[in-house]
Amino acid sequence: MSKEIIIAPSILAADFARLGEEIAAIDAAGADWIHCDIMDGHFVPNISFGADIIKAVRPMTKKIFDVHLMIAPADAYLEAFAKAGADVITIHAEAGPHLDRSLQAIRALGKKAGVSLCPSTPESALEYVLDRLDLVLVMTVNPGFGGQSFIGSQLEKIARIRNMIGGRSIRLEVDGGVTRDNAAAIAAAGADALVAGSAVFGGKSSADYAANIAAIRVAAEAGRVPKRHDSSAQPGEPVLVR
């Protein structure tokens, strides 16, 4: 795994009264992507915002808009989000009956295609669509609300998905309860893109945002570094201590 770590602050945790300013602030603070959580109050128990908001704030940054559709059905809205400025469009495997068709539709719109899995959904849901994907998003909380605690059992799922991806050029993203305290374990499991909401926006200024993003990045990068050589390993063979 050689891809650089991506930090994608979730604007769900931003001050919506100053959303454009908040996006400009995290851009300046070192965000790699801007993560946009779209909730419909149907697939998940909350409503956030739609394509018109994406369009309105798109001029605030040139960074990638990583749009996570927690909506069902999703197909009818793919074109609207593509036209609004999404660069990556991620849909849920659980949100519709024709996942392969939906991914083809995203690619046909000229966008990167992602699939997200809820905590209870096994990684086998990805098996027959891997070659349609640019991104896999593992939910490490139950989707619908920000500020939840990380579900530790998902680390094993992340590692299994990393093995499934193999040599494919697919980003492995994690969303839910990501902090500087667990970023190392998440990266060690195989993730290379981390979504963080309250862990980034918990400060009061762009300087705080920059410090928060940097702390998560440093922790994640450290998690990918072998810590020592295990006594059972062959000479010169590094073993990662988890």
Side-chain angles (χ1 to χ4, degrees), residues 1 3 5-7 150 155 158-159 162 172 174 178-179 182-194 216-225 227 240 242:
M1 179 177 56
K3 292 187 178 72
I5 291 288
I6 292 293
I7 306 298
F150 184 85
L155 288 171
I158 294 165
R162 170 52 60 195
L172 179 49
V174 170
V178 175
T179 69
N182 57 27
I186 292 167
D192 53 39
L194 279 65
I216 295 168
R217 191 187 308 279
V218 167
E221 292 288 2
R224 302 207 292 183
V225 176
K227 300 294 191 284
L240 181 64
R242 302 198 183 280

Side-chain angles (χ1 to χ4, degrees), residues 38-216:
I38 312 301
M39 304 179 182
D40 64 358
H42 170 68
F43 179 66
V44 294
N46 201 357
I47 297 174
S48 59
F49 52 89
D52 286 345
I53 298 297
I54 299 293
K55 182 178 180 180
V57 299
R58 177 69 273 193
M60 302 305 300
T61 178
K62 294 182 179 180
K63 298 287 176 67
I64 287 173
F65 267 29
D66 175 29
V67 176
H68 176 198
L69 299 183
M70 289 174 273
I71 65 176
D75 289 10
Y77 302 96
L78 298 177
E79 184 174 4
F81 282 101
K83 288 182 175 179
D87 297 295
V88 182
I89 299 178
T90 297
I91 57 177
H92 269 263
E94 308 89 356
H98 302 297
L99 183 58
D100 185 87
R101 180 184 296 166
S102 300
L103 295 170
Q104 289 187 59
I106 294 170
R107 288 271 186 89
L109 290 164
K111 305 301 178 179
K112 300 290 187 181
V115 167
S116 184
L117 302 180
C118 290
S120 63
T121 301
E123 66 276 6
S124 58
L126 302 169
E127 185 175 358
Y128 294 106
V129 296
L130 276 172
D131 292 321
R132 302 276 192 205
L133 296 178
D134 300 289
L135 179 142
V136 175
L137 173 56
V138 178
M139 291 301 300
T140 46
V141 299
N142 288 295
F145 297 96
Q148 299 182 66
S149 297
F150 184 85
I151 299 174
S153 64
Q154 298 304 294
L155 288 171
E156 293 183 6
K157 184 196 288 187
I158 294 165
R160 291 193 296 267
I161 293 172
R162 170 52 60 195
N163 288 333
M164 290 176 68
I165 289 172
R168 297 177 177 86
S169 182
I170 298 174
R171 282 279 181 186
L172 179 49
E173 188 173 43
V174 170
D175 182 5
V178 175
T179 69
R180 68 184 70 189
D181 296 325
N182 57 27
I186 292 167
D192 53 39
L194 279 65
V195 177
S198 55
V200 168
F201 287 100
K204 296 182 179 180
S205 70
S206 57
D208 292 329
Y209 298 168
N212 293 338
I213 290 169
I216 295 168

